[in-house]
Each structure stands twice: as structure tokens, then as C-alpha cells.
Amino acid sequence: MAQGNNYGQSSNGVADESPNMLVYRKMEDVIARMQDEKNGIPIRTVKSFLSKIPSVFSGSDIVQWLTKNLSIEDPVEALHLGTLMAAHGYFFPISDHVLTLKDDGTFYRFQTPYFWPSNCWEPENTDYAVYLCKRTMQNKARLELADYEAESLARLQRAFARKWEFIFMQAEAQAKVDKKRDKIERKILDSQERAFWDVHRPVPGCVNTTEVDIKKSSRMRNPHKTRKSVYGLQNDIRSHSPTHTPVPETKPPTEDELHQEIKHWQMQLDRHRLKMSKVAESKEPGQQRVKRWGFGMDEALKDPVGREQFLKFLESEFSSENLRFWLAVEDLKKRPIREVPARVQEIWQEFLAPGAPSAINLDSKSYDKTTQNVKDPGRYTFEDAQEHIYKLMKSDSYPRFIRSSAYQELLQAKKKGRNIPIFPCHKNCTPTLRASTNLL
């Protein structure tokens, strides 16, 4: 594999002599020798059950090569050196997110030079969101999100809610490009991209080798790094250098300049609020918006039209009381404290009291705890009952809604450019439920 000689250089061609770069160079020199066709580690394609694993080598191969070629007498020392190189992402296990070296038959693969740390990567959370979103579209067991990745995706969805549609579209475009690649090439590139994020967003409990020591950074002449996007976007407009850049000297702004700046950003904020209010009031969701309802029940519940369609489906199955109860409890949490006791009794009488007109099914533990909470009413009196109903809908009603002909027709209607009919609220809806269509 061809290796570039310009890594760790500034825009004027001067090599970066920072301690990290010196370490990276030494590691990359060893990696280049490992990949030598004659004297390097033998890379092979291994046959597995009904498939082939391309371009791999074993952990014991690395330890043996380090012992032989670097004159290391102690195998433990060779294993430690190999683990350091794996932690920096120069090679990685193909079936594990933990970047450590094992002296056994575990298969490893070399990282492409594009993702080497000497390229001064400092990826943004938006890049990580695009990557995780793309993984959810590929529907393959080897690309299934781990628990910590799924949690990260949920946090990123909340953080970037206003521009999630753009992130989704970018991920969708990348997924389409990936599908056009050769199967073996796609498998290798997927594993290399995953390993890159295992370095920069490691598994909880693992060491993050990309963290910057604040004290060391403050002692450097040029502590500020440029920021590079994984997918080709340059986020730092000061310089295109992949190394540290000097901070430009700026004079403090005058009072008039501050007033102008405040006025400018206030106008921008007002325009953004107006735009968002129009989007929130829209009753004609686009195809991307309808498709997002299939990402998870939370996506359907936080969209007013999504809630309306989900409720209509539940009404057709005579189980709308679950969603109406959940929405009523959400509304209760936002009520003024003086209205809470009366509203708690209304919810109790409607959904939980003996002979309630819209009785919901609770397990005995949740029901007993809720019964005790009602004696001292508060905004979170129905927390346990709401959580039970949420899990019930998520595991039962929501999957049926996504598989139903009603949702599929909505999706196909938007693909063909037809409008989605907006159904009125069910006659059994309470005033609270009608008001709660503006929740979230």
C-alpha cells in the first residue's frame, strides 16, 4: 500500500514537530514495514461459514513480526507495543469495537492511511451523526448499532433536531454510493470507517487516544487545531492547514459594533423562529418527515401529524386509550402546580379508577404504586404507569403501526407526490388530548 510522505506538514511545507507527530511518524514507519509485500505480515483472505473474510491477519502474526523485526525479546513488550498501535487505530479487530491486540487467532485489518491520526482529524458530532444514521439504513447484522452507539444516536437526534433532515439526507446519499461499490470493497471500507469512529468515539471505559492534554496545549505556541470533517467539509475558515495555526490578533470591538452585532443576531433569531413556527404548523409533512416516523416511536410521537396518524391507527384497533393516557400525563407535567391535583383526579377517573370509561392495563406493581401516588398528587404521580404504557406501545402497538397498510400508504403517497389526508381527532378525545397535539 502506497504511503504518503507529506503527513504532519503545515500549509507552508514545514513538518509539524509536535510530540504527537513524532510518535505518529514512528508508528507509521513500523506500519509501512508491516505492509511490505516481501518482509511484512502476510495478509490473506479467510474462508468462514458461507462467506469470506478479506484482507486480514491474526494477532499472533503481529506479535511474532514485532518480536522478530524490532528485536524485542519479551513477547509481553511486543504485545504492549501492538496494543498502543491498535489504540491509535493503525490496525483493528474486525469483530470487536475494543481496540486492543490479542496474541491469538483474532483477525485484524490494517487501517487506510486516509484515517491515520497524523492527518489531524478532529471530527464533528455532525459527522458522527451522519455515520450512525447511515448504519441504521444498511440493515446488516455486522453493521447493527451497539447499545452505546444507539444511545449516542438518540442524543445526537435531540441535539440536532432542527437539522436532522439534512443529516439524514447526507447519510442516505452516502448509503446509495456505498451500494454501488464491490461487495468485498464495501465490507473492507465499512470496517475501516467503523474503526475510525472506535478511535474518536470509543466504547465507554476504553481510553480515548485523541484527547488533548489541556496543560500541554496551553504551553504550546499554537494550541488551536484546525477542524476537519470526515466527509470533506472544512469547518475552520482560518486556514486549510491540517496542523496548528496561529491565533490572529484582534482588537476588542467598540460599543457601536457590539450593538450592531446584537441587532444582526436578533434579526437572524427572529427569522429562524418564524421559519420554525411555520414548519411546526405545517400539516403537510414531506416524504422524509413521514419516513422518520419509522425510526422509532419517539419520532412519531414528537411530530403532531405522526401522533395523529398513530392515534387513528390505535382507534382502529380499539386501543387508543393507551396513547391518550400517555399524552394526558405529558400534559400534566406542564400544568401549573395549582391545577395539578384536580387534573390528577381527572386522569385517575378516566383511565385507572374501577369502572373507568377508558381503562388501561397495568401490571400490579405499577398500579399499586400509582394508587399510593394519587394520595399525594404531583406532576409525576403517573410516572410508573406512563412508563409501563410507553413500553407496551413501543413493543406492541408501534411495530404494528409501522407494518400496517395505513403507514405504508402514507409513505407511498408522499413518494408519488399525493397529499396525506389529515384525520380529525376521534370523538372520544378529551380536551387534554386535543391540546396535547402541540406537545413535544
Side-chain angles (χ1 to χ4, degrees):
M1 188 179 295
Q3 307 294 327
N5 296 323
N6 60 343
Y7 52 75
Q9 291 188 349
S10 61
S11 57
N12 58 6
V14 179
D16 184 358
E17 298 297 335
S18 66
N20 282 357
M21 279 299 167
L22 296 176
V23 173
Y24 295 156
R25 285 197 194 117
K26 289 183 178 181
M27 287 187 179
E28 287 163 15
D29 287 341
V30 175
I31 293 295
R33 292 172 59 188
M34 284 183 177
Q35 296 180 353
D36 184 74
E37 293 182 1
K38 295 182 179 180
N39 302 316
I41 297 174
I43 300 174
R44 56 191 183 274
T45 297
V46 180
K47 291 184 179 180
S48 180
F49 180 69
L50 297 179
S51 64
K52 294 182 179 180
I53 306 176
S55 304
V56 295
F57 48 90
S58 68
S60 56
D61 290 339
I62 301 176
V63 175
Q64 291 174 10
W65 189 93
L66 291 172
T67 304
K68 178 181 177 182
N69 292 271
L70 299 186
S71 301
I72 300 176
E73 297 180 359
D74 188 356
V76 176
E77 184 179 347
L79 184 64
H80 174 67
L81 176 60
T83 298
L84 288 177
M85 300 174 76
H88 284 81
Y90 288 107
F91 51 81
F92 54 90
I94 63 170
S95 58
D96 195 355
H97 288 275
V98 181
L99 300 177
T100 57
L101 177 61
K102 299 177 182 178
D103 188 7
D104 55 19
T106 302
F107 290 127
Y108 292 80
R109 183 175 288 143
F110 283 116
Q111 180 61 283
T112 176
Y114 179 75
F115 286 137
W116 283 357
S118 60
N119 285 321
C120 296
W121 291 113
E122 193 178 348
E124 299 286 344
N125 282 332
T126 49
D127 294 325
Y128 192 41
V130 170
Y131 165 71
L132 293 177
C133 190
K134 180 175 66 173
R135 287 262 301 276
T136 64
M137 299 175 184
Q138 292 171 323
N139 293 326
K140 294 178 181 177
R142 63 187 172 85
L143 297 172
E144 186 177 356
L145 295 182
D147 290 342
Y148 79 96
E149 291 177 315
E151 293 172 3
S152 298
L153 179 60
R155 286 196 300 268
L156 290 169
Q157 278 186 286
R158 291 193 295 269
F160 299 124
R162 293 181 178 178
K163 57 179 180 180
W164 191 255
E165 188 168 351
F166 168 76
I167 291 173
F168 176 83
M169 291 172 62
Q170 190 173 0
E172 193 173 41
Q174 290 183 23
K176 289 180 180 178
V177 172
D178 290 342
K179 288 181 181 179
K180 297 178 182 179
R181 291 194 173 100
D182 177 72
K183 183 178 180 180
I184 294 178
E185 179 190 8
R186 185 167 67 245
K187 184 181 291 188
I188 294 174
L189 291 177
D190 285 343
S191 68
Q192 290 173 333
E193 187 178 19
R194 187 210 70 189
F196 170 80
W197 287 111
D198 286 342
V199 173
H200 292 271
R201 300 292 189 276
V203 178
C206 293
V207 176
N208 187 347
T209 59
T210 64
E211 287 181 341
V212 178
D213 189 307
I214 298 176
K215 292 184 179 179
K216 288 182 180 179
S217 179
S218 64
R219 289 197 297 266
M220 295 174 64
R221 291 184 179 180
N222 306 318
H224 295 277
K225 288 186 178 180
T226 59
R227 304 178 74 85
K228 291 178 66 178
S229 169
V230 180
Y231 303 114
L233 301 174
Q234 185 74 26
N235 296 318
D236 192 330
I237 62 174
R238 294 175 297 173
S239 170
H240 292 278
S241 167
T243 57
H244 304 298
T245 55
V247 181
E249 294 183 3
T250 57
K251 60 181 180 179
T254 63
E255 187 175 349
D256 290 338
E257 290 174 339
L258 285 175
H259 283 304
Q260 290 293 330
E261 188 76 8
I262 293 172
K263 185 177 179 181
H264 167 74
W265 287 113
Q266 189 63 47
M267 291 175 60
Q268 292 292 330
L269 182 61
D270 291 341
R271 289 176 60 186
H272 181 72
R273 285 173 177 168
L274 178 62
K275 182 179 178 181
M276 293 305 298
S277 65
K278 289 181 178 179
V279 171
E281 293 170 1
S282 174
K283 285 286 186 177
E284 292 294 336
Q287 180 189 354
Q288 299 294 345
R289 188 172 165 190
V290 174
K291 191 181 292 186
R292 280 173 60 180
W293 301 348
F295 288 179
M297 192 171 73
D298 290 336
E299 290 291 337
L301 290 178
K302 71 183 181 182
D303 188 319
V305 181
R307 286 197 303 276
E308 211 166 319
Q309 299 298 328
F310 189 26
L311 178 63
K312 179 179 180 296
F313 171 77
L314 294 177
E315 288 169 355
S316 69
E317 293 197 335
F318 304 98
S319 60
S320 63
E321 66 277 358
N322 288 334
L323 180 56
R324 290 191 284 119
F325 170 75
W326 188 88
L327 291 171
V329 176
E330 285 295 297
D331 175 71
L332 173 67
K333 295 175 183 178
K334 300 181 180 181
R335 289 291 185 101
I337 194 65
R338 63 179 180 275
E339 299 178 9
V340 168
R343 186 61 191 135
V344 165
Q345 289 300 320
E346 290 175 7
I347 295 174
W348 172 263
Q349 292 299 327
E350 184 176 355
F351 297 102
L352 291 165
S358 301
I360 59 175
N361 291 321
L362 287 182
D363 61 288
S364 59
K365 182 179 178 181
S366 299
Y367 185 83
D368 292 342
K369 190 165 184 180
T370 303
T371 304
Q372 292 296 322
N373 292 342
V374 170
K375 297 177 182 178
D376 184 18
R379 290 193 178 99
Y380 297 92
T381 296
F382 301 102
E383 186 75 10
D384 293 273
Q386 186 190 34
E387 183 179 357
H388 178 82
I389 292 299
Y390 177 89
K391 291 179 179 178
L392 187 63
M393 290 192 297
K394 186 175 182 179
S395 63
D396 183 43
S397 303
Y398 172 75
R400 291 204 309 276
F401 168 64
I402 295 302
R403 294 193 301 265
S404 69
S405 58
Y407 176 73
Q408 297 301 324
E409 287 173 4
L410 294 177
L411 200 57
Q412 294 301 321
K414 296 313 297 179
K415 285 183 178 179
K416 295 179 181 179
R418 301 199 301 270
N419 289 334
I420 294 180
I422 302 303
F423 299 96
C425 193
H426 192 264
K427 63 181 181 180
N428 292 332
C429 291
T430 62
T432 298
L433 178 58
R434 294 190 180 96
S436 63
T437 55
N438 294 322
L439 283 173
L440 306 173

